[in-house]
């Protein structure tokens, strides 16, 4: 509400250049606020666990990006059923795909299971994150690539949200360099509830 009021006041400024600048600042504050709220929601474990087709969930997220013209494909196992918080997990995967298409190309989403883990990996061929900074990349408000400092960049909460959601599933987020370039972001979940 305060930002809406500020925007209304900004729109009444006579000077068009000052008005544009003020409105751009308000819009940036709105995006920061929305990102912070999404981060806090990501930490919540309020959504109940449900049995879902994990493969179908991932395919659906990939299809949405494909419809927008991005080179995104699901290349994982099919028919994997599991217990998860589907809205939260979809948000985590969406954040990873969104990062991959912003900063890289040819995004691939895979799903792999073994006796211990379910791994959802999102791979791109973008600038990646320097090896020495991978550990810090999931901290709120951290951004490490020059591409992430452009207008395409967010506010450094995307990976923190993904990590919070993974931890909410008693799992983890693992980041690795994709050689020769790019990033592999893997949500690793315990396999106990997966068939």
């Amino acid at each position: 509400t305060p930002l809406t009021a500020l925007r209304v006041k900004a729109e009444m400024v006579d000077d068009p250049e000052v008005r544009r600048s003020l409105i751009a600042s308000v819009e940036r504050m709105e995006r920061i606020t929305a990102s912070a709220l999404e981060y806090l929601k990501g930490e919540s474990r309020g959504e109940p666990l449900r049995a879902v087709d994990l493969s179908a969930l991932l395919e659906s997220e990939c299809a949405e990006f494909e419809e927008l013209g991005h080179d995104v494909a699901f290349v994982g196992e099919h028919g994997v059923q599991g217990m998860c918080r589907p809205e939260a997990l979809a948000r985590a995967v969406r954040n990873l795909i969104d990062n991959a298409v912003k900063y890289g190309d040819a995004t691939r989403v895979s799903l792999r299971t073994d006796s211990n883990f379910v791994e959802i990996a999102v791979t791109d061929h973008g600038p990646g994150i320097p090896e020495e900074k991978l550990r810090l990349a999931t901290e709120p408000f951290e951004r490490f690539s020059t591409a992430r400092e452009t207008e395409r960049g967010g506010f450094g909460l995307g990976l923190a949200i993904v990590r919070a959601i993974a931890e909410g599933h008693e799992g983890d987020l693992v980041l690795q360099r994709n050689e020769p370039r790019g990033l592999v972001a893997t949500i690793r979940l315990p396999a106990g509830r997966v068939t």
Side-chain angles (χ1 to χ4, degrees):
T1 302
L3 286 173
T4 302
L6 187 57
R7 183 181 182 119
V8 169
K9 289 178 183 179
E11 288 177 352
M12 295 196 298
V13 171
D14 290 332
D15 184 318
E17 191 61 37
V18 173
R19 182 173 54 244
R20 258 192 307 279
S21 175
L22 287 173
I23 290 172
S25 294
V26 171
E27 288 173 347
R28 181 169 169 76
M29 285 187 276
E30 287 172 338
R31 290 192 307 271
I32 291 170
T33 303
S35 293
L37 289 173
E38 188 177 351
Y39 172 64
L40 294 172
K41 276 174 44 181
E43 291 187 314
S44 169
R45 298 179 189 206
E47 183 187 357
L49 289 166
R50 290 193 352 232
V52 299
D53 183 327
L54 295 174
S55 306
L57 183 146
L58 297 178
E59 286 179 289
S60 174
E61 291 302 319
C62 290
E64 287 188 24
F65 282 89
E66 284 181 283
E67 287 171 10
L68 296 172
H70 299 292
D71 182 2
V72 177
F74 176 72
V75 294
E77 295 177 22
H78 292 277
V80 177
Q81 306 289 318
M83 296 291 290
C84 71
R85 296 176 176 87
E87 289 180 24
L89 189 59
R91 182 167 55 245
V93 171
R94 197 174 313 120
N95 281 2
L96 293 179
I97 296 172
D98 187 54
N99 273 352
V101 300
K102 277 182 189 171
Y103 308 121
D105 56 13
T107 302
R108 298 296 173 255
V109 179
S110 64
L111 173 63
R112 187 180 72 82
T113 61
D114 64 27
S115 57
N116 298 314
F117 296 103
V118 174
E119 292 185 342
I120 299 166
V122 177
T123 305
D124 69 59
H125 299 283
I129 297 171
E131 186 77 38
E132 67 276 7
K133 295 184 177 177
L134 283 173
R135 276 187 319 116
L136 296 174
T138 60
E139 294 299 317
F141 304 107
E142 292 290 346
R143 294 168 28 177
F144 296 112
S145 98
T146 54
R148 285 168 164 78
E149 304 303 323
T150 69
E151 280 301 307
R152 293 180 299 170
F155 303 102
L157 285 172
L159 292 176
I161 291 167
V162 176
R163 184 186 70 185
I165 291 170
E167 289 173 352
H169 284 83
E170 299 176 14
D172 196 11
L173 171 64
V174 179
L175 302 178
Q176 298 171 296
R177 290 190 51 76
N178 183 28
E179 298 302 339
R181 60 191 298 267
L183 185 70
V184 180
T186 304
I187 299 171
R188 184 176 289 164
L189 305 174
R193 299 188 183 110
V194 173
T195 59

